[in-house]
Amino acid sequence: LKFALLLPAAGSGTRLGSALPKALVEFAGEPMFVRALHPFLAFESLAAVVIAAPREHLSAFRDAVGELNARVEVRVIAGGETRQDSVGLALDAVQFFAVGAVLVHDAARPLVNTATIQRVLDGLDRDVVAVLPGLPVSDTLKAASGDPLLVTATVPRDGLYAVQTPQGVRYDAAVAAHQRARAEAVQCTDDVALIERFGLGRVRICEGDTLNFKITSPADLRLARLLAREP
Ligand code: C5P
């Protein structure tokens, strides 16, 4: 199964307290998005990469991509208003590559490893349309509201999973989900949520990786940089 990597990287660095977009923040000697896409280049079945970047920073992204010497075409396009819009635009750019699936991976998860990518690819068989890595929730969950913030309930965590990327989606299902989302002006936090919402097929969870967390806060960035230094 040939796949394309879609890398949504068009977010700002606001929550990180950075003037640069998060994906361009220096991480272990390279821009964060380069680190996040590197492990994917090792896969023979990778056919193309499409990166959705902030419109004002396209040249910085293209310069970094130029240094990659990738075996496959790596295209940089302007992203959209939301993550979903960025993924939709990246998906439009994939139509010329004849792939059976797309893997959508956050540029903000630079510690992804090849074992996780392999589990996602292995999970995409004929019986499912999407696969995503997830970890069972280990913290106790509370519902709370108001100011002062008061607990209203304890949410049973049995059967709850915190999900990560890369999320693998069969190409036809991804296109159908995004077309329908555009037509009906539906926004979801991830592409798999669109698949669920429109009932396009079964979605499987494979084993995630604790270290594959998303960098959101300055503390996340510090932690990830420490981990990246380990051999
Ligand atoms: O903001 P957050 O970290 O949740 O975004 C997840 C991923 O989606 C990031 O890699 C970010 O660059 C990307 N994104 C995007 N286009 C947007 C907003 C976010 O590609 N408009």
Side-chain angles (χ1 to χ4, degrees), residues 20 29 50 60 63 78 81 94 118 140 190 208:
L20 274 182
V50 182
D63 289 348
E81 275 300 296
V94 158
Q118 189 66 60
T140 292
D190 70 7

Side-chain angles (χ1 to χ4, degrees), residues 5-217:
L5 168 66
L6 311 185
L7 201 77
S12 69
T14 321
R15 281 175 296 173
L16 208 53
S18 159
L20 274 182
K22 182 158 67 177
L24 286 177
V25 167
E26 187 272 331
F27 187 87
E30 49 194 4
M32 191 186 301
F33 86 90
V34 172
R35 176 72 178 223
L37 77 78
H38 232 120
F40 293 87
L41 298 175
F43 287 79
E44 274 297 315
S45 48
L46 177 70
V49 179
V50 182
I51 302 166
R55 187 174 292 282
E56 323 76 68
H57 296 275
L58 291 177
S59 58
F61 277 75
R62 288 187 176 133
D63 289 348
V65 163
E67 289 173 22
L68 269 177
N69 284 319
R71 173 185 56 80
V72 298
E73 185 174 339
V74 181
R75 200 173 280 192
V76 178
I77 61 154
E81 275 300 296
T82 64
R83 181 185 187 277
Q84 183 180 312
D85 294 339
S86 294
V87 174
L89 292 164
L91 197 56
D92 292 341
V94 158
Q95 58 184 306
F96 307 106
F97 291 102
V99 293
V102 293
L103 262 56
V104 184
H105 182 61
D106 291 331
R109 296 185 191 266
L111 294 177
V112 63
N113 61 25
T114 50
T116 303
I117 299 166
Q118 189 66 60
R119 284 197 294 276
V120 171
L121 289 172
D122 289 347
L124 262 184
D125 61 31
R126 237 166 290 140
D127 294 331
V128 297
V129 294
V131 176
L132 66 174
L135 291 169
V137 171
S138 58
D139 291 325
T140 292
L141 300 174
K142 299 286 183 192
S145 60
D147 182 14
L149 191 57
L150 295 177
V151 170
T152 54
T154 298
V155 181
R157 67 182 177 215
D158 280 3
L160 291 186
Y161 291 80
V163 298
Q164 310 175 328
T165 71
Q167 305 192 342
V169 186
R170 292 195 161 272
Y171 177 74
D172 294 346
V175 169
H178 278 269
Q179 268 173 2
R180 200 155 154 199
R182 276 177 190 161
E184 297 175 21
V186 170
Q187 283 283 339
C188 286
T189 51
D190 70 7
D191 314 276
V192 169
L194 292 175
I195 304 265
E196 296 158 42
R197 167 130 180 187
F198 299 137
L200 294 173
R202 300 203 303 167
V203 176
R204 170 189 290 179
I205 289 182
C206 66
E207 188 191 343
D209 173 16
T210 310
L211 300 187
N212 182 24
F213 55 86
K214 188 170 74 173
I215 295 182
T216 305
S217 67

